[in-house]
Amino acid sequence: MADKNQEIGGIHFPFPFTPYSIQKDFMAVLYQVLENGKIGIFESPTGTGKSLSLICGALSWLRDFEQKKRQEEAHLLKTGTAPSSDGKDQPPFISSSHQETPDTLRPPGEPDWVTQFVQKKEERDLVDRLKMEQIRRKKREERLQQLRHNTQLKYAAKRERQEEEETERLLRLSRDILAAGTEAEPLEQLASGEEDLVLSEYESDEEKGAPNGLNEDEDDLEEEHVTKIYYCSRTHSQLAQFVHEVQKSPFGKDTRLVSLGSRQNLCINQDVKSLGSVQLINDRCMELQRSRHESKSPAEDQEPKRRRRAPRAACPFYGHRHLQLFQDQVLLEVKDIEQLVALGKEAGACPYYGSRFAIPAAQVVVLPYQMLLHTATRQAAGIRLQGQVVIIDEAHNLIDTITGIHSTEVSGSQLCQAHSQLIQYMERYRKRLKAKNLMYIKQILYLLEKFVAVLGGNIKQNPNTQSLSQTGTELKTINDFLFQSQIDNINLFKVRRYCEKSMVSRKLFGFTERYGAVLAPPREQPRLAGFQHFLQSLQPGVTETPTAPVEEGEARVPRPASPLMHIEGFLEALTTANQDGRVMLSRQGSLSQSSLKFLLLNPAVPFAQVVKECRAVVIAGGTMQPVSDFREQLLACAGVEAERLVEFSCGHVIPPDNILPLVICSGPSNQQLEFTYLKRELPQMMDETGRILCNLCNVVPGGVICFFPSYEYQRQVHAHWDKSGLLARLAVRKKIFQEPKRANQVEQVLTEYSRCIQCRGQAGGMMTGALLLSVVGGKMSEGINFSDDLGRCVVMVGLPYPNIKSPELQEKMAYLDQTLPRTPGQIPPGKALVENLCMKAVNQSIGRAIRHQKDFASIVLLDQRYARPPILAKLPAWIRDRVEVKATFGPAFAALRKFHHKKSGLS
């Protein structure tokens, strides 16, 4: 389809077809948000072309920004002086990674000649840097041009990699022959491969400079970071869908786009990928890279009698030439994750590192928002936010995501396992471990012992058989927890850094894999028999029979990560500021079932760095209401001034008469509908709900989705209907499906539900479709597309308020009441949180229907509390403006019958 060029407010927006008016408004507001460095909250319902609006609006701004930057660069290189600026915005030609911060502004009262001298020097430095950037840019463009016209390059690189591997194999063989002639080591001989399990000598950051991590060849892969757009979404499938939209857009041929993913998604080294666990894959990959960069230590040269360690293998897919080729091919053409993996296998280059090296030169970087929102993960991926644009799509649960990323839980069983494993490891390699390693291992053991003690257990006993005298849940501030655990004298920052740098959890996992999961070599069995017995006893439901090795070709179950890996996350959480988090001690009878959980109360702390560094941030979603959570809990607490915030919400593209939202306050027998915890389990309330659904199924064609507040309530209602005969009455008109609890069964249920609707009427009888009983917050309430006949009516049974008795929720409410300002006449922030959580869940559920311009559906809200103005105000605007409140069932049923008869062409 030919591009439809749009001129909106003097700005040229390429578009693949004539856009809706709301898309024009969306792009115009988005452009101004990016141009003026604002924080934007954008709400655009599903089916209104939000993704295309984001792509065309943001890339139009980037196109104009780059053009302006090139013009100013040319002026600077020609004249040697920077164009004048009003001081409000940084000139675009200054690279995003070198932007001046307020802390570096000139001190007041400085002499003019000093100011002029410094300015001239900065301009000269800027000219030099621009020249270097131009050289690098020219090299990249030349390489890309070569690739466009010479497809044989990648095959040449593949042959070269094979030759390099053969050369490396011969060099390794030579080293082995030489090493065979050295004297035997006086220490006890280790088994083959066991040398890798011993911790290397540890030096803290204070004792050595931080390693660069790149060799000279890899320096060539690093370019200056150009101004770019980081696009984030929740899942890899949503990211892939966005990439495909970019490919089909007018910008698809000319945009340098990079898709980022985890090692689990991108790794092509089967030996590493077969480890299964994300943490194990990460650690093994990093160990392979460390093997590449480590040089022989001086201590080895000074000890000729010490048996030399066999050289460890590095990853065969990590090589400069192949990564360079991969990087160029990524920038040459827009690709999604699957295409990157296929390209990596073809080129013999690592897609994970190849895509990371392509970040600096990319114009758009597509990534899961967990990768961007977690500081350590962001830094490890090479993401620099200074002066860049971030777009967070599907952001309705952004606050929960940030909280979840930075919250962690460890069980009593994991604490005991880690302690036992670490003691056995230390005893096994005590003579080979340096003093600092032993010191830190003993500190970790001490921490584990105290964590178990604070739960009321004993680290030396089996956690499965330990009964705790005290049960229940207890919440502590971080400082109180540290004091109560008697670990306030331990520097957790240093312990955390040691765990990260030494990779002790990875070594420990290798050790337990060798001696805990499979039979040890005969000579090791007496020494480690007790260790194996203890490890087996810690696994619930595992017999004491030895575990046989997995036969070749047999399917392997993904191996769980070492318990110490989980505990490292908990240690990191304990370094959070005291006021921003809580530690929950959950004592559940036995030590193995008890746990320590860190709760992040202030999601604004990790998010503040994003909004501070970025030029602009866009938070977008199909349903963002109520937006007060974003304004108050996230942005205001992150230091965003009100004048920097822009809100945009558009209506739907469907005609007004294609949707019928109803609030029904009473049922057919005049039973008042109010599904509170006290009333919803009454038999008459469940009967009334069944009668309403029977009436709806008589007039609604196709599919009906009915959402319940919880799995337990859905089960109770289903059992009651089955007993009373209502289920049989419902089954006359609609085949009944229930949402499964297991994620792997969802696809099957959806397939059968869809088939039943598509085949209705073919077998005769009164069957008109299907009824799907679902759960708010479950697997059907988000990300599932019930378009057209799959979702002609969505029913909400009650208001899905969260459990107010939850200790976590109570603590969060108390925290908000203490920290957020209370507006006169408004409900307290804590109570507002509960209401907002409820309405976010409602909005996500009812958003499953109406998926495109010609779609139609009715939305039925069963609870008289929906009629209250504060609740109605939190519905999406395109639904809120059309809601009809029906006090009795008769008029509501008449309206539904008329709507569906008309839309189905029956009237």
Side-chain angles (χ1 to χ4, degrees):
M1 189 178 295
D3 294 353
K4 304 293 183 182
N5 298 324
Q6 299 294 317
E7 290 286 340
I8 305 171
I11 301 167
H12 170 60
F13 291 97
F15 214 77
F17 49 79
T18 304
Y20 305 129
S21 60
I22 58 175
Q23 288 180 306
K24 294 179 182 179
D25 296 339
F26 188 112
M27 290 189 292
V29 176
L30 176 63
Y31 190 101
Q32 292 306 318
V33 165
L34 304 188
E35 179 69 14
N36 299 319
K38 303 286 187 179
I39 308 294
I41 300 177
F42 284 73
E43 182 180 52
S44 180
T46 303
T48 56
K50 170 169 60 70
S51 294
L52 260 181
S53 301
L54 282 170
I55 291 166
C56 296
L59 290 179
S60 294
W61 170 82
L62 187 61
R63 172 206 63 204
D64 295 347
F65 179 87
E66 288 179 341
Q67 183 178 359
K68 191 187 302 182
K69 180 182 175 182
R70 282 193 296 270
Q71 291 172 350
E72 292 176 339
E73 281 182 357
H75 180 274
L76 180 64
L77 291 173
K78 183 178 180 181
T79 64
T81 58
S84 60
S85 174
D86 59 5
K88 291 181 181 178
D89 295 315
Q90 199 77 16
F93 57 78
I94 296 181
S95 173
S96 58
S97 60
H98 288 85
Q99 284 190 359
E100 193 175 79
T101 64
D103 298 333
T104 61
L105 295 175
R106 304 281 169 264
E110 191 175 70
D112 290 343
W113 67 269
V114 174
T115 304
Q116 290 174 3
F117 175 80
V118 172
Q119 185 177 345
K120 289 292 184 185
K121 184 179 185 305
E122 287 178 347
E123 288 177 352
R124 285 196 300 272
D125 292 344
L126 184 57
V127 169
D128 292 340
R129 192 168 71 246
L130 287 176
K131 288 179 179 177
M132 289 300 298
E133 286 183 22
Q134 280 195 342
I135 291 171
R136 285 178 179 267
R137 192 161 58 229
K138 188 176 180 182
K139 280 184 179 179
R140 181 185 70 235
E141 289 170 356
E142 287 174 353
R143 291 197 308 269
L144 295 181
Q145 196 66 22
Q146 273 188 311
L147 276 174
R148 284 191 181 96
H149 298 96
N150 189 356
T151 55
Q152 296 301 316
L153 278 176
K154 58 185 177 184
Y155 300 111
K158 194 172 183 180
R159 287 194 301 272
E160 185 181 339
R161 185 177 71 82
Q162 292 171 344
E163 292 170 3
E164 287 175 358
E165 287 176 352
E166 179 64 19
T167 303
E168 178 61 28
R169 188 187 70 80
L170 293 172
L171 287 172
R172 190 162 56 246
L173 182 63
S174 301
R175 285 196 295 266
D176 291 343
I177 294 171
L178 290 172
T182 60
E183 295 183 33
E185 181 182 331
L187 291 175
E188 178 188 352
Q189 186 101 8
L190 295 178
S192 173
E194 198 175 359
E195 191 75 54
D196 285 339
L197 302 180
V198 182
L199 288 162
S200 305
E201 185 170 359
Y202 177 71
E203 289 182 281
S204 62
D205 290 342
E206 291 87 351
E207 297 169 317
K208 64 174 183 177
N212 184 21
L214 292 174
N215 59 30
E216 290 180 7
D217 283 341
E218 288 162 359
D219 282 336
D220 293 341
L221 296 174
E222 282 286 346
E223 293 188 43
E224 193 69 35
H225 281 243
V226 302
T227 300
K228 63 178 84 316
I229 296 165
Y230 287 101
Y231 172 87
C232 317
S233 194
R234 189 172 58 91
T235 65
H236 282 291
S237 61
Q238 288 169 338
L239 294 172
Q241 185 177 347
F242 177 83
V243 171
H244 296 155
E245 291 282 352
V246 174
Q247 289 171 334
K248 293 184 293 184
S249 78
F251 296 91
K253 299 294 184 183
D254 304 318
T255 300
R256 301 190 303 276
L257 181 147
V258 176
S259 294
L260 299 184
S262 64
R263 288 179 174 88
Q264 192 175 36
N265 292 105
L266 289 171
C267 179
I268 58 173
N269 186 331
Q270 289 305 313
D271 292 338
V272 176
K273 195 165 186 178
S274 63
L275 292 172
S277 162
V278 178
Q279 186 66 50
L280 295 177
I281 291 173
N282 290 344
D283 285 350
R284 180 57 180 154
C285 176
M286 290 166 63
E287 193 174 74
L288 289 175
Q289 301 321 311
R290 182 174 294 187
S291 300
R292 174 179 294 275
H293 297 302
E294 275 181 354
S295 58
K296 188 170 59 177
S297 67
E300 287 187 79
D301 288 331
Q302 294 169 11
E303 296 182 26
K305 292 185 178 181
R306 180 180 174 89
R307 183 172 61 86
R308 306 264 174 142
R309 177 181 299 189
R312 292 178 291 182
C315 182
F317 302 103
Y318 189 97
H320 165 68
R321 289 271 299 170
H322 316 108
L323 288 175
Q324 179 75 75
L325 176 69
F326 183 92
Q327 170 189 334
D328 292 341
Q329 288 184 311
V330 167
L331 297 174
L332 188 65
E333 187 179 26
V334 174
K335 293 179 174 63
D336 63 17
I337 290 288
E338 291 182 1
Q339 291 168 325
L340 288 180
V341 171
L343 174 62
K345 290 177 180 178
E346 185 180 2
C350 173
Y352 177 77
Y353 281 102
S355 57
R356 279 179 57 184
F357 287 131
I359 292 174
Q363 295 168 305
V364 179
V365 178
V366 177
L367 70 164
Y369 50 46
Q370 292 87 339
M371 187 179 289
L372 181 126
L373 296 171
H374 191 263
T375 305
T377 307
R378 183 169 70 239
Q379 292 172 347
I383 295 168
R384 300 180 191 173
L385 297 182
Q386 187 68 47
Q388 310 292 15
V389 169
V390 164
I391 297 176
I392 303 174
D393 201 359
E394 301 297 331
H396 54 272
N397 58 355
L398 177 60
I399 294 175
D400 293 338
T401 299
I402 297 173
T403 303
I405 290 171
H406 295 87
S407 298
T408 184
E409 184 175 15
V410 292
S411 67
S413 180
Q414 288 174 326
L415 294 169
C416 289
Q417 274 187 296
H419 188 273
S420 172
Q421 292 173 0
L422 203 52
I423 279 188
Q424 295 287 342
Y425 177 87
M426 185 176 69
E427 291 302 319
R428 167 67 178 161
Y429 302 119
R430 179 181 289 275
K431 294 181 181 179
R432 294 175 176 270
L433 296 174
K434 299 294 183 180
K436 279 216 167 176
N437 279 315
L438 287 171
M439 180 192 75
Y440 278 111
I441 287 176
K442 287 177 180 178
Q443 284 191 5
I444 296 171
L445 289 169
Y446 176 80
L447 290 170
L448 297 173
E449 182 180 341
K450 291 301 181 183
F451 289 158
V452 169
V454 81
L455 284 171
N458 188 328
I459 197 75
K460 296 179 181 178
Q461 297 176 13
N462 190 322
N464 294 322
T465 57
Q466 281 191 67
S467 296
L468 305 182
S469 57
Q470 181 183 355
T471 58
T473 300
E474 188 180 0
L475 275 157
K476 297 278 187 183
T477 65
I478 298 173
N479 287 347
D480 286 347
F481 173 76
L482 297 179
F483 285 125
Q484 184 178 340
S485 305
Q486 300 176 0
I487 60 172
D488 51 295
N489 59 326
I490 301 288
N491 189 328
L492 294 178
F493 290 92
K494 285 191 172 184
V495 174
R496 187 192 72 181
R497 194 180 304 119
Y498 170 77
C499 292
E500 179 187 348
K501 299 291 185 184
S502 67
M503 298 179 71
V504 60
S505 57
R506 169 66 196 169
K507 305 285 186 181
L508 188 61
F509 178 79
F511 174 70
T512 53
E513 278 282 280
R514 189 180 187 91
Y515 295 123
V518 296
L519 287 176
R523 66 183 181 84
E524 296 292 345
Q525 285 178 3
R527 176 183 300 188
L528 294 166
F531 177 47
Q532 289 176 304
H533 186 277
F534 186 82
L535 286 175
Q536 288 174 343
S537 73
L538 294 179
Q539 301 294 333
V542 177
T543 62
E544 293 187 7
T545 54
T547 305
V550 179
E551 296 296 331
E552 188 175 353
E554 185 179 335
R556 288 179 177 267
V557 177
R559 294 179 285 182
S562 161
L564 188 59
M565 294 178 185
H566 296 286
I567 294 161
E568 286 176 7
F570 183 69
L571 292 176
E572 180 180 358
L574 291 180
T575 61
T576 305
N578 183 58
Q579 70 272 16
D580 294 330
R582 297 288 183 270
V583 179
M584 186 172 74
L585 291 75
S586 177
R587 301 181 179 95
Q588 302 294 332
S590 72
L591 178 60
S592 62
Q593 295 174 323
S594 301
S595 65
L596 299 173
K597 183 176 182 179
F598 174 80
L599 305 172
L600 180 70
L601 295 180
N602 187 4
V605 171
F607 196 66
Q609 190 175 3
V610 176
V611 296
K612 181 182 177 182
E613 292 185 3
C614 290
R615 173 194 178 94
V617 177
V618 173
I619 302 171
T623 305
M624 299 297 288
Q625 292 293 336
V627 296
S628 56
D629 282 359
F630 296 101
R631 282 198 310 262
E632 296 162 11
Q633 292 185 45
L634 199 60
L635 299 174
C637 291
V640 176
E641 301 86 358
E643 56 268 20
R644 196 184 174 198
L645 187 60
V646 175
E647 292 182 24
F648 175 86
S649 180
C650 63
H652 214 296
V653 293
I654 60 170
D657 60 349
N658 273 26
I659 182 173
L660 178 64
L662 296 177
V663 173
I664 301 181
C665 299
S666 62
S669 63
N670 292 322
Q671 172 71 47
Q672 288 295 112
L673 300 177
E674 190 169 352
F675 294 86
T676 61
Y677 285 110
L678 294 176
K679 296 180 180 178
R680 70 185 189 184
E681 295 181 10
L682 295 174
Q684 58 265 35
M685 193 67 77
M686 292 190 277
D687 287 338
E688 195 77 335
T689 307
R691 283 191 283 268
I692 292 171
L693 279 177
C694 282
N695 280 279
L696 290 180
C697 290
N698 283 333
V699 298
V700 178
V704 177
I705 305 104
C706 181
F707 285 100
F708 291 88
S710 67
Y711 283 104
E712 177 59 24
Y713 187 58
Q714 183 211 37
R715 186 194 63 78
Q716 287 180 358
V717 171
H718 188 273
H720 181 80
W721 288 349
D722 191 21
K723 188 176 179 181
S724 67
L726 265 167
L727 205 62
R729 286 172 55 194
L730 280 169
V732 172
R733 286 287 187 177
K734 305 283 185 187
K735 185 173 181 180
I736 300 170
F737 295 86
Q738 290 189 77
E739 177 176 323
K741 279 194 172 182
R742 293 185 178 179
N744 59 1
Q745 297 175 341
V746 170
E747 193 63 39
Q748 180 185 353
V749 171
L750 286 174
T751 301
E752 292 177 5
Y753 172 79
S754 302
R755 186 183 297 118
C756 176
I757 292 170
Q758 291 165 0
C759 300
R760 69 184 188 277
Q762 292 182 7
M766 301 174 66
M767 189 77 69
T768 62
L771 170 64
L772 178 59
L773 305 180
S774 302
V775 176
V776 175
K779 299 161 189 68
M780 306 290 190
S781 65
E782 186 175 344
I784 304 295
N785 186 353
F786 292 108
S787 62
D788 300 317
D789 280 347
L790 297 182
R792 289 304 182 201
C793 181
V794 175
V795 181
M796 292 293 306
V797 178
L799 281 156
Y801 280 106
N803 181 9
I804 197 70
K805 295 181 180 179
S806 161
E808 296 101 315
L809 183 56
Q810 287 186 342
E811 192 68 23
K812 180 75 172 179
M813 290 169 64
Y815 172 80
L816 293 178
D817 285 338
Q818 292 169 7
T819 56
L820 292 185
R822 184 170 179 176
T823 308
Q826 298 292 324
I827 61 175
K831 190 175 179 182
L833 168 70
V834 175
E835 208 167 78
N836 289 347
L837 287 172
C838 168
M839 292 310 297
K840 281 183 185 292
V842 169
N843 293 339
Q844 280 303 305
S845 298
I846 62 181
R848 297 309 91 213
I850 309 290
R851 309 299 287 183
H852 57 83
Q853 187 182 20
K854 296 181 180 179
D855 206 353
F856 68 89
S858 56
I859 295 170
V860 179
L861 307 175
L862 298 183
D863 200 306
Q864 62 182 3
R865 292 175 292 174
Y866 279 110
R868 298 174 185 172
I871 298 294
L872 283 175
K874 290 181 169 64
L875 289 170
W878 63 280
I879 294 176
R880 178 178 65 237
D881 297 342
R882 304 173 190 178
V883 169
E884 298 178 25
V885 178
K886 303 294 184 181
T888 57
F889 185 72
F893 181 70
L896 281 163
R897 181 170 54 191
K898 180 180 179 182
F899 173 82
H900 284 287
H901 277 215
K902 179 181 178 181
K903 288 299 169 186
S904 302
L906 301 177
S907 58

